[in-house]
Amino acid sequence: MFKRLPGDEARNLVSTTPDTAVVFRPAVLKTPAIITFLVYGWRFLSALIRTTWRHPVAVAVSVVLGAVWYASGWPAAASTLGLVVFSLLSWAFTEPGSFSRIVGFRLLAWWRLMSVYRRHWHGVMDVSGLAKRVNGRVYMPRLLRVTCDGWADRITVRMLGGQAIKDWSDRIDNLAHGFGATSCRVAVIKGGRLLLTFPRSDPLASPIPALPVPDEPTVGPVEIGKQEDGRPLRLKVHGTHVLIAGATGAGKGSFLWDTIRGLLPAMRAGLAEVWALDPKLMELSFGRELFQGRYAADPADCADLLDEAVSVMQKRATRFAGLQRSHVPTIEDPFVLVLVDEVAFLTAYQPDRQLRQRTSAALATLATQGRSVGVGVMAALQDPRKEVMNIRNLFPDKIALRLDESEQVDMVLGDGARDRGALADHISPIPELGAGVAYMRLETSPEPIRVRAAYVSDTDIRAMVAYYGQAA
């Protein structure tokens, strides 16, 4: 009546009537009860050990309260619990910093884990396509750990075997919206493990006033603002070159003037010099008295000043050859920082072809040979395209302020920077919210960090000129 089926499947047929579909009864393996009890017992013991290891304080409190209840009754346990709560509240009000670091952020991490991430983990992974189905079985990335600080949640994740970081970086919008955050950033911890950062608030939402001028002369790193995690932003200028890109009104001048402000004591002591090229005549001209005659605005004068910087660099290289490989600032050989505002006007938009070639050649020479002999370049521009700034890869440290297009982020910070969360094209165009906010990618770290430079007002610049310009 039926065709011969492979194996023993024919004996599992449970219906043979023509109007009923053929149904196969799956084979059932009867497991002895003792094995079932052993399996569930092992799972319970493993979960207990894992919970104790991950949450030792919570387990200890529960065990102590239970022991007090068993030994002295519930009034004693309630009194003990009240004493603990009162002590924690007193600690929180008297020493909020240490309480948050030791207790508060741990409790917040546990609450966020249970109420947000573990609750929505399977759904977000499935909808975003990060979970995989193979032969009817679902494989899910593993949520390992949640930690919190004052502004963000950080999630440690174990990827599925065969996944790549690009699988996650392509879905940062899915992850952010899935867990109710404004953005998500992806970083590699080690092979197979990622760190997802979900900001809860924005510590850089308010403008930062101009920072005090340092008391001691130093050539860096100079403090110019604040990082997103609350730490001071210190920018290295000696021994590197810095490229700053941002649309009009993004706050490029803040980075230039903060750097000058941080170098003022060193300039006064003769350990540093700032040479300023200001073809726009609107930014660095406010403080031209600070530059000791090393200021140029006319394109021809800018080319001459760059040629002079190349000459200084080459003379130092000749004297240092065979004697030293790195530069130490001295009065005889001070650190020279060449500031170029709107560098694209000199390298791309300059109508005089000869001047354009001279400028580009001098900048390329300084960028390739200058940092080992104490000559650095900090250049700012609006358009980061290769045809506008064809030597942008010669700058080890790069800063991207607000940009007009998402493609420009990788042009400035390097391939993959936007996928890792450097959303420079999403920075607010409102000056109070977005001016001076940037993503910075340093030579020593491939991961972009979000920062904000302090705002140096015209009044601050005039005060700098009035005090340090006379001394110069």
Side-chain angles (χ1 to χ4, degrees), residues 164-246:
I165 184 175
K166 194 174 189 308
D167 297 327
W168 291 75
S169 60
D170 287 344
R171 295 169 172 84
I172 56 175
D173 290 337
N174 305 68
L175 295 170
H177 293 296
F179 293 118
T182 56
S183 63
C184 172
R185 294 163 210 174
V186 181
V188 178
I189 300 177
K190 62 179 182 179
R193 295 196 178 191
L194 298 179
L195 181 67
L196 308 181
T197 302
F198 296 97
R200 297 190 313 274
S201 61
D202 187 3
L204 305 180
S206 301
I208 304 171
L211 300 174
V213 176
D215 296 328
E216 299 296 329
T218 178
V219 295
V222 293
E223 184 175 349
I224 65 170
K226 184 170 68 173
Q227 301 183 42
E228 193 171 32
D229 59 6
R231 292 182 298 173
L233 170 61
R234 292 184 173 89
L235 180 64
K236 179 182 177 182
V237 290
H238 179 243
T240 188
H241 306 298
V242 183
L243 178 66
I244 305 170

Side-chain angles (χ1 to χ4, degrees), residues 63-137:
V63 170
V64 170
L65 290 177
V68 172
W69 191 332
Y70 178 79
S72 305
W74 70 267
S79 300
T80 303
L81 179 60
L83 179 61
V84 171
V85 172
F86 177 77
S87 301
L88 291 176
L89 290 176
S90 301
W91 184 9
F93 280 105
T94 56
E95 295 290 340
S98 61
F99 176 82
S100 297
R101 186 175 62 255
I102 298 174
V103 178
F105 289 142
R106 294 176 185 269
L107 291 176
L108 179 61
W110 176 83
W111 172 252
R112 298 283 293 176
L113 169 66
M114 302 304 296
S115 64
V116 178
Y117 299 108
R118 184 165 291 173
R119 178 183 177 186
H120 300 291
W121 185 255
H122 285 235
V124 173
M125 293 297 105
D126 195 7
V127 172
S128 63
L130 291 169
K132 301 298 179 183
R133 285 178 170 82
V134 180
N135 296 329
R137 184 175 179 181

